[in-house]
Amino acid sequence: MLFLELAQTFEKMEKTSSRLDLTQYLVELMKVTPSNIIDKVIYLIQGKLGPDHSSKELGIAEKMVIRSLSLATGISSSEIKLKFNEIGDLGDVVYKLNYNKSQSTLFSEPLTVERVFDTLTKIANTSGTGSLNLKIRYITSLLNNVSNLEAKYLLKLILGNLRLGIANYTLMDALAIGFTHDKGNRVILEKAFNVSSDLGNIARILAQGSIEEVQSISVSLFIPVRPMLAERAADSKEALSKIKGKCLAEFKIDGERVQVHKRGTRIELFTRSLENITSHFPEIVKMFTDLDVDNFIVEGEVVAINPHDQKFLPFQSLMRRRRKHDIQQAMEAYPVILNLFDILYHNGNDLMNLVFEERRKILEINFGNIKSDRLKLVNQKRVSNIDEIDNFMAESLDSGCEGLMLKDSNSRYRAGAREWAWIKLKKEYAGTITDSVDLVVLGALYGKGRRVGKYGALLLGSYSKEEDTFYTICKVGTGFKDDALSVLYDTLSKQIIHKKHPRVQSGNVHMDVWFEPSVVLEIISPEITLSPVYTTGRNMIKPGYGLALRFPKFSGNIREDKSPEDITTVEEIIDLYNNQFKQ
Ligand code: AMP
């Protein structure tokens, strides 16, 4: 397949803000893509080289690309740099350059998608001495004899700047329409995606096989399952009323969720956003290696503990450990413990269709008697009334946890779903919103005074899963320490896009810059109010009004463990708003 075809589709996508158009362009692309490379095309659209859990980073700096571009075009590096400083994106720079194709030869073949993908994979696998020059040579080889349009998207892919605004849901819609002529089949694709986390593979099975084959995809070891998520309740009364079966309460531990896969000596750990983090927790890996139990997928919360009194430490301590480069030092400074709360697979059996009570029994049988400083089962208790919940909550807070998870004993494990089968309940403050919310950064205004050269205020949004859209909710400018400001500035600057992202409903706000929705911040606020400006919950409470956080403040936590689709939802914000009046 010619890379030009892909570049032309990318160009059309970049020019539209309409989700319908995006889907239509994708459907057309799927139709002309050969089935044996459809997985590669899907990964490239996602700006990756494989599924999240095994995709390698390209690790390419702008400097390297400028050097390659200079070699390929004959234009000096300093001239390219000048244009880059002016325009801010090397893909757009190359598009505007009067591209010198003198390097092309009579015999050069047109660039194919296969060659692009394979060369990018080689770049990602290149490391060690001499790798810099080799990478430059690979990039230069791709840039020889291509049109401005191909060069533009090659560079955007290489630098990870391809920001087309295409979410997995849009891709799944396009696959369902393109291959089955029925958008309704997206549900089947979504189910398969939730257990296999690999849209490229699903697309290939669909293109070469059938929707029935996709339907039969099930859980397998070393491929992470998308985690089941929890709804949020304002108080124990509301939570209890939502649970249909018996209510099993557990401590809600303020750490990082990990999914552990083990067969023989192979052990792998994944985060809730499916990143492989096996190398971060060698002591947990060692503990599982020494364990007799084998062939399983379990889930739990890793938490840092105070080595003196063994109490749980808050999430920030774990993040500090994650940032340390010397793992040995990090292990000593921040010892961790894994608290298991679920089992999804054991000895060749998919356990996700068993009810929670049975899964917990299997967890207890296999892991309940293990004497290890590194492993525990999450504290659990059956509760049947509000007093029991409130007492257990007090116990949980006392041991350093952030609240309770209430689980329906009769519920199955629904990968990727946020339902009332699991309910989170955090510490309550009468008359205020119950706890912090996690929001994604959508845009920013430049700072003034002490904050010149940084961002002064960040525009934040909540998420609607149904519409796969981000809605604005506030601007935040307080709670930022100087070092956090710098870190955020550097992180966010890499996510700048030319115009508002197609998945954002922003209403009428002016921003100096817009971002690809990716950075998640934890925000505290005493109150939610009606707002004529922000779009979260617009027209749902009062015509013409949305909801806004009043006096929002950054808590200091950048939620690196959460993807934008994991943040607080519009529905949760509406519930929080309504709950303010129940107190
Ligand atoms: P939140 O991140 O506030 O949406 O809360 C859900 C998260 O709480 C889960 O993804 C887990 O990381 C974490 N968690 C802590 N304790 C438990 C538990 N006992 N059961 C399930 N999840 C838990």
Side-chain angles (χ1 to χ4, degrees), residues 358-421:
E358 286 177 42
R359 299 202 304 278
R360 170 80 190 195
K361 262 187 215 143
I362 298 176
L363 201 60
E364 283 172 9
I365 291 168
N366 287 285
F367 299 92
N369 296 320
I370 288 159
K371 303 262 171 296
S372 163
D373 296 342
R374 301 268 152 258
L375 188 76
K376 269 187 25 179
L377 293 197
V378 161
N379 272 10
Q380 192 194 68
K381 187 175 187 175
R382 184 163 159 206
V383 288
S384 48
N385 59 47
I386 292 168
D387 280 349
E388 283 173 5
I389 294 180
D390 292 347
N391 289 339
F392 201 48
M393 169 70 95
E395 247 182 80
S396 162
L397 296 178
D398 193 46
S399 59
C401 296
E402 57 173 349
L404 293 180
M405 292 290 285
L406 302 179
K407 299 182 179 175
D408 182 341
S409 62
N410 265 331
S411 61
R412 296 168 206 291
Y413 191 96
R414 296 250 298 122
R418 186 187 296 283
E419 289 172 352
W420 289 100

Side-chain angles (χ1 to χ4, degrees), residues 89-232:
D89 179 301
L90 278 168
D92 295 330
V93 169
V94 75
Y95 191 62
K96 290 198 175 133
L97 282 177
N98 196 2
Y99 206 70
N100 174 3
K101 301 199 186 68
S102 61
Q103 312 279 325
S104 63
T105 70
L106 214 56
F107 305 104
S108 29
E109 300 271 329
L111 188 62
T112 60
V113 172
E114 291 87 328
R115 204 180 124 211
V116 171
F117 192 89
D118 294 345
T119 311
L120 294 185
T121 307
K122 277 188 206 150
I123 293 175
N125 288 329
T126 303
S127 60
T129 36
S131 65
L132 186 74
N133 282 335
L134 196 56
K135 282 184 184 184
I136 291 177
R137 246 185 291 148
Y138 281 135
I139 301 171
T140 313
S141 76
L142 287 176
L143 285 168
N144 278 330
N145 195 32
V146 289
S147 63
N148 290 16
L149 190 71
E150 287 165 293
K152 170 178 173 179
Y153 287 102
L154 266 177
L155 293 196
K156 283 181 184 269
L157 278 171
I158 289 171
L159 288 164
N161 287 343
L162 186 75
R163 305 213 169 96
L164 300 173
I166 297 170
N168 287 336
Y169 299 109
T170 316
L171 268 170
M172 286 190 254
D173 276 348
L175 287 170
I177 298 168
F179 289 105
T180 73
H181 307 289
D182 179 1
K183 193 170 156 186
N185 280 330
R186 185 187 100 180
V187 185
I188 296 175
L189 302 184
E190 203 177 332
K191 235 173 153 181
F193 178 58
N194 284 335
V195 293
S196 68
S197 311
D198 185 347
L199 215 45
N201 187 43
I202 290 172
R204 200 161 36 76
I205 293 174
L206 192 61
Q208 297 182 332
S210 62
I211 190 80
E212 287 73 27
E213 278 173 61
V214 173
Q215 207 157 12
S216 64
I217 293 177
S218 69
V219 57
S220 44
L221 274 165
F222 307 109
I223 294 180
V225 174
R226 302 205 337 130
M228 177 160 172
L229 302 169
E231 287 284 358
R232 168 201 305 254

